[in-house]
């Protein structure tokens, strides 16, 4: 699921994890995964922008890195 060719198939689950998970580590992993696949739908990008504003410095950094990789 984490190869670029399968990115579209993974996006809904990753976006849901990034937005809805109660566990910070799950949200961090979702942001990290978006950064690795380097692709994101409009919903994913909105979720990453929201995560970028997190009070968690690690989640904020991972979301920022993912956004940079997606918009390159």
């Amino acid at each position: 699921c984490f190869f670029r060719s399968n990115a579209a198939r993974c996006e809904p689950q990753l976006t849901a994890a990034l937005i809805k998970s109660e566990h910070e580590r799950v949200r961090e992993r979702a942001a990290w995964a978006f950064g690795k696949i380097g692709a994101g739908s409009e919903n994913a990008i909105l979720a990453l922008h929201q995560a970028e504003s997190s009070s968690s410095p690690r989640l904020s950094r991972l979301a920022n890195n993912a956004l940079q990789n997606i918009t390159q």
Side-chain angles (χ1 to χ4, degrees):
C1 194
F2 291 105
F3 296 103
R4 289 178 196 251
S5 60
N6 295 325
R9 191 173 55 163
C10 299
E11 283 188 43
Q13 293 88 352
L14 290 173
T15 302
L18 188 58
I19 294 171
K20 297 178 183 177
S21 179
E22 297 175 9
H23 305 285
E24 189 171 307
R25 295 286 269 180
V26 172
R27 293 191 308 272
E28 290 172 355
R29 290 293 182 175
W32 173 85
F34 274 121
K36 289 297 178 188
I37 60 178
S41 66
E42 184 176 332
N43 287 339
I45 292 170
L46 291 172
L48 286 164
H49 278 297
Q50 183 178 359
E52 206 176 18
S53 301
S54 170
S55 61
S56 163
R58 181 180 166 96
L59 177 56
S60 180
R61 179 178 43 82
L62 288 166
N64 181 273
N65 290 344
L67 286 166
Q68 287 179 10
N69 288 341
I70 289 170
T71 58
Q72 285 184 6

